[in-house]
Amino acid sequence: MSKASQQIDVREKFYQDIDGYNMAPLWEVYRTLITPSPRTPAVPHCWHYDDVRDWVLRAGDVISAREAERRVLVLENPGLRGQTRITNSLYAGLQLILPGEVAPSHRHSQSALRFIIEGAGAYTAVDGERAYMARGDLILTPPMTWHDHGSHGKGPTVWLDGLDIPIIQTFDASFLEGFPEESQPSTRLPGDSHARYGRNMRPFGAAPKNASSPVFSYPYADYREALEKMRVQEDWDSCHGLKMTFINPQTGGPVMPTIAAFVQLLPKAFSTSPYRSTDGTIYTVVDGEGRARVGDKDFQLTPSDIFVVPSWCSLQLEAKEDLVLFSFSDRSAQEKLCLWREQRGDDGDTL
Ligand code: GTQ
């Protein structure tokens, strides 16, 4: 037997011996753990809304919102099947509410955002205030806020849910409580939080309640109008077009402690320089058509398509028409932990 294979045998025997003591050799796994740059099992993927819409609606035939508590089809990253996640740190799903239904009130440690895809007349109630939903609206349910969903509408309402479920799993910090009634009582008028915090003022003398935005609803009409005003200036970023971060007006920071949300406009025929960052990001098409090149994959984009750009994977966008994209990521958490990094492909770097 050669000296090398003798040494391997000695090591294997050693590994078996220490295994019984719940110990393992770091040197066998070191290079898969501490990598020179991010390596993720998540892969680029696009869910074309036309392909999945029917399945979401058919979920309404198999279970009620009440029985399901949340009737959602989870968008599972093909590289992370069975793990209920779209990136390593974030969860996404498509939730359905039908006329007259209620998804019962609860609260949990997880942060959630909703981006409305279709329907009218549905609402999310957050800590006593109903936020009515229209296509393109962003609605927040910050950690430990009571929330329930319901609909007085005529047709189905579908929205994209984004939650930090995997982050809370990592920290083993999950708490969930049910509200004593299905729907929480309305203790504030719709629009109350926007009136108090969304108009460049804040209630005199009031201290911030927590780290999340006190504004629960960011309507499409507001941000779209803002983008249209700003585009006149034509100060397009070569990697992002015209991109805005939704903020917590009390801090100027991202909307929730773990999740940040963005909207961007690319004018017709605009093509971005490649870009990558450490925050794996979920995008959805609000308006327009175009193309996304994510790593080595190409996605043709039409309204309501959802695609995922894994951590440190390059993204390049092209607008066939004016293209409006909503996106969210864990950038909020990464910045607090001093982890967030980016690389732009417009300075000669190849990504
Ligand atoms: O609406 O509260 O997609 O608790 C997953 C977990 C939605 C919600 C999800 C949830 C919710």
Side-chain angles (χ1 to χ4, degrees):
M1 204 187 260
S2 75
K3 222 173 164 192
S5 62
Q6 264 179 5
Q7 197 179 42
I8 289 170
D9 287 349
V10 170
R11 285 182 188 169
E12 282 304 327
K13 169 78 173 55
F14 177 74
Y15 299 164
Q16 282 165 20
D17 289 344
I18 64 171
D19 183 66
Y21 294 87
N22 297 301
M23 294 192 289
L26 172 64
W27 58 87
E28 289 290 337
V29 291
Y30 192 93
R31 300 267 161 213
T32 63
L33 293 175
I34 305 195
T35 56
S37 57
R39 249 180 237 157
T40 174
V43 296
H45 191 71
C46 182
W47 289 263
H48 294 289
Y49 193 61
D50 277 351
D51 295 341
V52 300
R53 177 179 187 269
D54 207 40
W55 294 111
V56 174
L57 298 184
R58 281 162 71 172
D61 301 332
V62 302
I63 196 163
S64 68
R66 180 171 290 126
E67 196 188 346
E69 182 143 345
R70 296 297 185 260
R71 185 174 49 215
V72 180
L73 297 189
V74 180
L75 302 176
E76 286 200 328
N77 190 291
L80 298 163
R81 290 308 309 272
Q83 297 186 50
T84 323
R85 57 186 71 184
I86 190 162
T87 66
N88 238 331
S89 62
L90 292 174
Y91 157 104
L94 289 168
Q95 183 161 175
L96 170 71
I97 280 277
L98 295 170
E101 284 193 318
V102 172
S105 196
H106 68 196
R107 64 177 184 175
H108 40 66
S109 320
Q110 288 79 1
S111 298
L113 61 77
R114 338 270 169 194
F115 190 77
I116 316 311
I117 291 181
E118 63 171 289
Y123 64 85
T124 295
V126 188
D127 278 351
E129 178 182 332
R130 284 183 179 180
Y132 278 88
M133 298 174 172
R135 177 172 163 78
D137 291 355
L138 168 65
I139 293 175
L140 309 179
T141 54
M144 280 328 227
T145 51
W146 293 109
H147 57 281
D148 45 85
H149 316 291
S151 175
H152 313 299
K154 288 208 169 67
T157 300
V158 178
W159 63 85
L160 173 67
D161 276 326
L163 284 88
D164 56 1
I165 292 171
I167 298 178
I168 306 309
Q169 254 177 335
T170 292
F171 288 117
D172 284 337
S174 177
F175 291 92
L176 168 69
E177 291 170 55
F179 194 76
E181 299 150 58
E182 261 197 345
S183 298
Q184 59 183 305
S186 289
T187 55
R188 294 166 181 273
L189 287 174
D192 184 85
S193 65
H194 187 254
R196 285 170 203 272
Y197 295 98
R199 305 229 168 125
N200 299 312
M201 298 185 289
R202 66 169 187 226
F204 183 77
K209 270 195 313 212
N210 57 43
S212 299
S213 175
V215 179
F216 301 129
S217 174
Y218 296 73
Y220 171 82
D222 285 0
Y223 70 74
R224 190 68 216 262
E225 187 198 341
L227 290 170
E228 290 301 322
K229 282 243 165 76
M230 285 181 282
R231 73 184 299 168
V232 177
Q233 209 63 38
E234 289 190 36
D235 42 5
W236 310 101
D237 180 282
S238 66
C239 292
H240 305 296
L242 178 53
K243 187 164 183 174
M244 304 293 284
T245 304
F246 290 100
I247 60 160
N248 171 350
Q250 303 212 94
T251 62
V255 285
M256 290 188 291
T258 51
I259 307 179
F262 314 92
V263 69
Q264 71 201 97
L265 168 69
L266 308 182
K268 182 178 171 149
F270 193 88
S271 175
T272 64
S273 299
Y275 175 85
R276 65 181 174 182
S277 57
T278 51
D279 52 326
T281 304
I282 297 89
Y283 286 82
T284 185
V285 180
V286 188
D287 287 318
E289 296 196 355
R291 192 186 77 123
R293 189 162 177 83
V294 187
D296 58 5
K297 293 254 179 73
D298 250 314
F299 305 126
Q300 295 299 326
L301 304 176
T302 57
S304 305
D305 289 352
I306 297 157
F307 64 98
V308 55
V309 182
S311 169
W312 216 235
C313 186
S314 90
L315 169 66
Q316 195 256 319
L317 295 162
E318 279 170 36
K320 259 196 227 148
E321 312 163 1
D322 282 359
L323 185 63
V324 178
L325 299 174
F326 169 80
S327 58
F328 67 96
S329 79
D330 64 4
R331 180 167 170 173
S332 186
Q334 287 202 26
E335 286 189 333
K336 290 184 185 69
L337 301 173
C338 306
L339 295 171
W340 186 81
R341 278 209 216 184
E342 66 178 337
Q343 191 179 22
R344 297 174 62 98
D346 58 358
D347 50 12
D349 284 342
T350 39
L351 304 187

